[in-house]
Amino acid sequence: MARTYLTPEIHRKRIERVQNLLNDDGLETFLVFNSKNIFYLTGLSFIPTERPIILILHKGEVNFFVPSLEIDHVEHQVPFVSQVFSYFEYPDVKHPMYHLAENLMKELKIQSNKVASEAAGASGYWGYKGPSLEDVTGLKFKQLPDMIMDMRVIKEPEEIELMRESSKWAARAHKYLQNFTELGANEIDVTIRASTQGSHDMVQELGDTYRPTGFSMFPAIALYRGQIGPNSYFPHALSRGLMFKKGDTLVTGASSDVYGIHAELERTMFMGEPSARQTELFEAMLAAQDAALGAAGPGVRCADVDKAARDAFNAKNVFHLVRHHTGHALGMEGHERPFLDIGSEDVLQPGMIFSCEPGIYEQGLGGFRHSDTFVVTEDGIEITTKYPREISELIIE
Amino acid sequence: MARTYLTPEIHRKRIERVQNLLNDDGLETFLVFNSKNIFYLTGLSFIPTERPIILILHKGEVNFFVPSLEIDHVEHQVPFVSQVFSYFEYPDVKHPMYHLAENLMKELKIQSNKVASEAAGASGYWGYKGPSLEDVTGLKFKQLPDMIMDMRVIKEPEEIELMRESSKWAARAHKYLQNFTELGANEIDVTIRASTQGSHDMVQELGDTYRPTGFSMFPAIALYRGQIGPNSYFPHALSRGLMFKKGDTLVTGASSDVYGIHAELERTMFMGEPSARQTELFEAMLAAQDAALGAAGPGVRCADVDKAARDAFNAKNVFHLVRHHTGHALGMEGHERPFLDIGSEDVLQPGMIFSCEPGIYEQGLGGFRHSDTFVVTEDGIEITTKYPREISELIIE
C-alpha cells in the first residue's frame, strides 16, 4: 500500500532532531511561527490568519500558543501535545503577545540565553501588528530563522514516498488535461474539468488512506495558466481565460497534494502538427532537460546541473531565449532551496528533491518547457513524474 | 454593465495619491515589495517566487525591478511603465540586490533621506535569502510598511462595484453548493462540483468583460472546509473529505475573484430538520448577526459593533460558546484591518468593507455562523451578499 500520510512517530522523530540541535546550542526553548514548519513538526494544519499561532518547544515538551478558535483543534490533531496556552482574540483589549509573555515567563519560566525563536515576532499577515518577543519579555531571543527549513532540505524516505504518490496523481490529472484540451475550449474550463476528474479518481481510489491536509482545494490539479499560443512566451503567465487555437504552443502544469507534499509536472504540447521552428525549439528544450538530468546525481554541484542545460542550449544556438535557471528544490513549498543555478554553492545530496525544467521562450511563438520532479538517490536520481516527454505524444489532434 | 475590472486610470490615480504622500514627506523614491500592493497600484499580477520583484516609484515615474522571466510580462500588463530594470536570475553569480543597488545608485541616482521602502529587503519567500537595501546601497531607507495597506482600508466606488459583483457570483456558487449537498456525498466532490458550475456560469455570462487576475484557480468558489456535523465545532476546520449525515450542522463558505476582490459569504445549514438545540443556537447566532448589522454604520466604533453581537449572545446565555470576534475588513485579502473587535480603536468610515460573522460553537453538536459582507455607506451600510439567512431556507431535505 502506498504511503499517503505521515504518522505521529515521524513528527516525534523530527521534534527529537530539533531538540538535539537546541541542546547542542544550550537552548531550552524554541518558538516556531511558520505554519508549514509547524505542520512539518507536528502534523497540525490550520488556516493562518492575523491571529498568532506559535509552536513552543520547551525542555522536550510540545506546547502551543493559539487563539480560542484553535484550542480544541490543536488537541484534536496533535496527540503528543503537552500544554495549549491561549488568548481569546486578536486584537482584543489585551494584545496576544502580552498573554504570550505571561505564559512564557510565569508558566514556562523561560530564561535569557536559553531561548530562541524563528522570527522576532508574529508576522504581519492579514492585518496583524504587534510588538516583538523581546519587547514583551525583556529577554534576548536567539534568532534561528532557517533551522527548520534547513532540516526540510533533506527529505526522509517516508516523505519521498509521498512525493512518488503525489507524482502519480499529478500524471493522472495531466492525462485528463491532455484529453480534454480541444480547439475553441477555454483554458479555465479545461483546467477545472481535468482537476475535478483527477481529484475524483484520487479520492475514490485512495479511500480511507487519503488524509487531506486542508491546504489545497483540489487534491489533484492539472492546469493551464495562460501559457497558450503567443502568451506562452511569458514563463510565468497567469490564467486569462484564453481559448485554444490551431498552431498554439501550450505549457501546462500538474500536481497533487499528498499530506502537504506536491510534485511538479509540466509539459509543452501543440495544437496540431508543430511547425519546423516549434519542433526545433522543442527538441532543444528536450536536449537541455536530458543534459541536466544526465548531469544530476549525489555529490554533483547544483551549478553544474544548470551548466549542463546551458551548454546544451548553447550547442543549439538558443541560449538567448533562456529566461531562468534549470530548477529548484521542492516538497511542501512550490519552490525551496537549493536552486539548480549557476550561482549556487550547494551540492546535490541523497534525499534532496528537485524540479528539472530548463526552458526557452521565443516572442510571437511561445514557450518550451517540460518540468519533471526527481529525487537524488545514493547512486543517481529517480524521476518520480512518469509522463510522456516526446513530441509525438504531446500533439493535440 | 457591471464593473468587472479596473482601468489604468484608476491605477494612475492611486499612484498619484502615493506620490502626493511621498512629496509631503520630502521623499523622491519608494520601493514596494508586497505583490498585492503592486497589483493595487499598477494592475500587474505575477506569481511571487524567490525572485525579488520590486515596484520603484521615483519622481513621478513608475519603474520596476524584475527577473528576466518577467520583463516582457510587465511591459505587456502595465501601459504606463517608464523603465524596467532587470537581473537574470536568483541566486545567480551576482545576487539580484547588487544589481538593484547599481540601478538605484547609477541610473536613478537615489539620495539618502529621500528614499523610502516598504520593507528592509526582499522577503524570505520560497527559499530567498539576501542582504538589505541599506547593506547594498549604504543609504538610509525610511521604512513605510503600512502606507499602501492604509490606503487600501477605504475602498473607492469602483472597488465597491467589484465587491458587489464578487458577492453576486459567490451567491450563485453557494446556491449550487446547497443544491448539490445530499446524504452520503463527500464534501470534496460537492465543493468541486459547485465551484465548477458557479465558475462556468461566471465565465460564460461575463464573457469578454471578465478579466481573471490569475490569483485564483476558480473564478467562483463555494465550499465545505470540514465544518460538517460535530467537526463544525472547529471554527477553522479544514477539509477532511467528510460525508454528509442526517442531523449534521454544516457551515459553508463562498466567494469569487473579481479583479482580485473577494466577497465573503458563509451559511449555517442542516441535514434534515434541526433539533431544538440546533434551532436555539441558530436563532441566537442570527440575533447576534442582526444586532451587529443593526449597530454598524459610519462614525460607529468597531468595538461597538462587536459589543452589539456580544450583548445579543449574552442575552441568550450562550456567550461561553463564542470563540472569535464579529468580523474583519476585507477586499483583496481574506482578512484586512480593521477588525470588528472589542479591542479595536478604529471607527467605521464610508468605503470600508467588512465581514459580519458572529459565531457560536458547541462541542459534540457543531458550529453556528453566517458571514455576510457589508459596505459602510454615507448613511448606513449596504449588505452585498444577498442570500437567504432564515433557518427554513437552509435545511437540506
Side-chain angles (χ1 to χ4, degrees), chain B residues 13 15 46 62 77 132 150 195 208 210 250 265 274 292 303 365 369:
Chain B
K13 276 190 205 166
I15 288 173
F46 59 91
V62 176
Q77 290 189 64
S132 72
D150 287 347
S195 301
D208 283 348
Y210 182 55
L250 313 175
L265 167 66
L365 184 64
R369 181 181 73 236

Side-chain angles (χ1 to χ4, degrees), chain A residues 54-73:
Chain A
I54 309 171
L55 167 64
I56 306 171
L57 301 178
H58 177 71
K59 295 183 179 177
E61 278 186 358
V62 176
N63 304 307
F64 281 91
F65 176 74
V66 302
S68 58
L69 62 72
E70 294 288 11
I71 300 171
D72 297 307
H73 206 203

